[in-house]
Each structure stands twice: as structure tokens, then as C-alpha cells.
Amino acid sequence: MVNKKEAVLDNAFGALSSPVRRAMLSRLSQGEATVSELASAHEISLPGISKHVRVLENAGLIRREKRGREYHCRIKPAPMREAVAWLAQHQHFWEQQFDALDNFLAEGGADD
Amino acid sequence: MVNKKEAVLDNAFGALSSPVRRAMLSRLSQGEATVSELASAHEISLPGISKHVRVLENAGLIRREKRGREYHCRIKPAPMREAVAWLAQHQHFWEQQFDALDNFLAEGGADD
DNA sequence: ACTATAGTGAACCATATGGTTAACAAAAAA
DNA sequence: TTTTTTGTTAACCATATGGTTCACTATAGT
């Protein structure tokens, strides 16, 4: 193991980099859903959806549980915690930058 | 434009999904650095490093400025703000899950 | 004027990603 | 029991990603 936490973040941020998967997480943040329910919001074939669900599962962001013939998905928060923690750790510095940007813009600087 | 903010998030999270690029951002959060300085922390060829820097730049996360023969890089916080905002927007729900997980673990549940 | 340094760009390669269709398994419904 | 529904797996394709080497430009140093 070189660094397990790094890999967790790789997978978490990687999973978050797709709008389809972010939409799935948004949906799941409002409660459990089946794969078909997750699919209904997108114009992607079911196997395609299944792959996205698998990515989220492999990233540890969700859990998939077979119940009857349906697969019910729900959020598994632990790795998201890592992602939030990473951002929070750097947010202090970013906020300084935010402040500097705000000041710059307030003084009429170009936005870029 | 289907949804510009979505694309910003795609690129921001995508850039964050690489440990090399996260390390670069960590370094830059402590202050400006040249491409060579960013490279010194990794065993990757300079063209390889250049590509990572370009990814960060295209994601809008950093700015690259030529000064003499060196390229100085510094963090550009705006898109990071979007990423933080997205996570924050969902964090409420995740925190509920965190609490549920904490309770579950406190009751001796298996961690998985 | 020559040489060394910082960094880019192009071409190339291997692997990963994101989608498809087709075939299948298991559970539910008729 | 037959049929429908849910979802998976496998095979395939196109494009993207992450690395390399080689050639090059531009600036700095000698």
C-alpha cells in the first residue's frame, strides 16, 4: 500500500467528475432509489447506467443491495467525508484567494 | 451551452482525481511556484508535468504566467468555489448519513 | 557568440472511460 | 407455466488519459 487515502480520493473525485454520477448522488441524497429509478433521469441504456452505478459503488460512494429483482442503492458517506476533508483542508488557503479575488473585483479588475 | 456550471464541475473534479495534480494544488496553496518546482516533487518527465499543469489550467484551477523563461503558477480559486459549493450543498444529507453511520458503528455494526 | 536551462509541442503508445448491442439470469406477474 | 421486468455480463467501439521520447523556442548565463 503506497497510500490508501490517496486512492480513496482518486476514486471519489473521479466519480464526482461525471454529471451523470453527480445527478445520481443528488438523487440518492434525497433517499434510496433503484437502478431503474436512477436511470429514468438519463437517456442512457441500462447497461450504461449499470456501469455508472458500478463506478459509484467501486468508489465506495454508494451501496447496492439486491432486494427481490431490484437493486436498491443508497449513499455510503465515508469516502465523501475524505473528499470534503481534503477540500476543507485547503479551503483556508482558497478562501484567502477568494478574498483577494473579491477585493480585486471590487476594485474593478477584469474577471479571469 | 447546455449547462456551463456542470462543465466547470466536471473539469474541477476531474482535475482533483489525480494525486499528482492534488499535490500540485497543495503546493500552490502555499504560494506561487514554477513548473520546475512543481515537477521536483514527482518522478515524471517535464512534458508529463506540463500536461498536468495544462489540465489544471484548462480546469481553471490555476493560472500560468510566463515570466522570463519560467512559467509561474498560482491558484485561481473561482472553480474550486463551485466544487466546494456542490459538496456543501449535499453535505447536509451526507452528514445525516454520517450520523447514521456513527450510530451504527457505535452499536457495533460492521464497517462496510 | 556560445551554451545551458525552462518549458512547450508533436508524435506515439498503452490503458481507461463511456457508450452501444446482444445474450442471459432471476424474480414477479399473468 | 409462460411472459415480462429488472438488471447484469460480455464483447465491442471510439475517444480520452497519462505517460514516454524527440525536436524545438526562448531566455539566461558564460
Side-chain angles (χ1 to χ4, degrees):
Chain A
M1 164 188 65
V2 179
N3 191 339
K4 200 170 236 170
K5 250 176 196 173
E6 286 293 292
V8 169
L9 287 175
D10 294 356
N11 293 330
F13 283 126
L16 287 170
S17 73
S18 154
V20 172
R21 291 190 293 263
R22 283 199 305 279
M24 289 177 168
L25 288 173
S26 288
R27 169 64 188 78
L28 290 176
S29 73
Q30 293 169 230
E32 192 177 277
T34 66
V35 171
S36 287
E37 284 166 354
L38 292 177
S40 67
H42 309 278
E43 301 204 326
I44 300 177
S45 67
L46 213 43
I49 293 291
S50 189
K51 280 197 190 181
H52 280 293
V53 171
R54 178 59 51 96
V55 169
L56 289 170
E57 191 182 26
N58 287 341
L61 293 175
I62 69 168
R63 172 187 302 228
R64 193 175 35 151
E65 183 187 345
K66 188 167 187 179
R67 207 179 303 159
R69 68 179 160 185
E70 296 174 334
Y71 283 75
H72 293 253
C73 305
R74 59 197 163 96
I75 283 188
K76 233 178 77 180
M80 195 63 70
R81 222 172 199 169
E82 306 276 355
V84 171
W86 192 90
L87 286 172
Q89 190 183 338
H90 293 79
Q91 197 165 9
H92 167 64
F93 299 103
W94 289 329
E95 286 302 341
Q96 294 182 332
Q97 301 278 342
F98 291 161
D99 292 344
L101 179 67
D102 285 341
N103 293 335
F104 180 67
L105 293 177
E107 289 159 11
D111 184 6
D112 182 38
Chain B
M1 163 188 64
V2 178
N3 191 338
K4 201 170 235 169
K5 250 176 195 174
E6 285 293 290
V8 169
L9 287 176
D10 293 356
N11 293 331
F13 283 126
L16 288 170
S17 73
S18 154
V20 172
R21 291 190 294 263
R22 283 199 305 279
M24 289 176 167
L25 288 173
S26 287
R27 168 64 187 79
L28 290 175
S29 73
Q30 294 168 229
E32 191 176 279
T34 66
V35 171
S36 287
E37 283 165 355
L38 291 179
S40 66
H42 309 277
E43 301 205 327
I44 300 177
S45 66
L46 213 44
I49 292 291
S50 189
K51 280 196 188 180
H52 281 292
V53 171
R54 178 57 52 95
V55 170
L56 289 170
E57 191 181 26
N58 286 342
L61 293 176
I62 70 168
R63 171 187 301 229
R64 194 174 35 151
E65 185 187 343
K66 187 167 186 178
R67 207 178 302 158
R69 67 179 160 182
E70 296 174 334
Y71 283 76
H72 293 252
C73 305
R74 57 197 163 97
I75 283 188
K76 233 178 77 181
M80 196 63 70
R81 222 171 200 169
E82 306 275 355
V84 171
W86 193 89
L87 286 172
Q89 190 182 337
H90 293 79
Q91 198 166 9
H92 168 65
F93 299 102
W94 290 328
E95 286 302 342
Q96 294 181 331
Q97 301 279 342
F98 292 162
D99 292 345
L101 178 67
D102 285 340
N103 294 334
F104 179 66
L105 293 177
E107 290 159 8
D111 184 6
D112 184 38

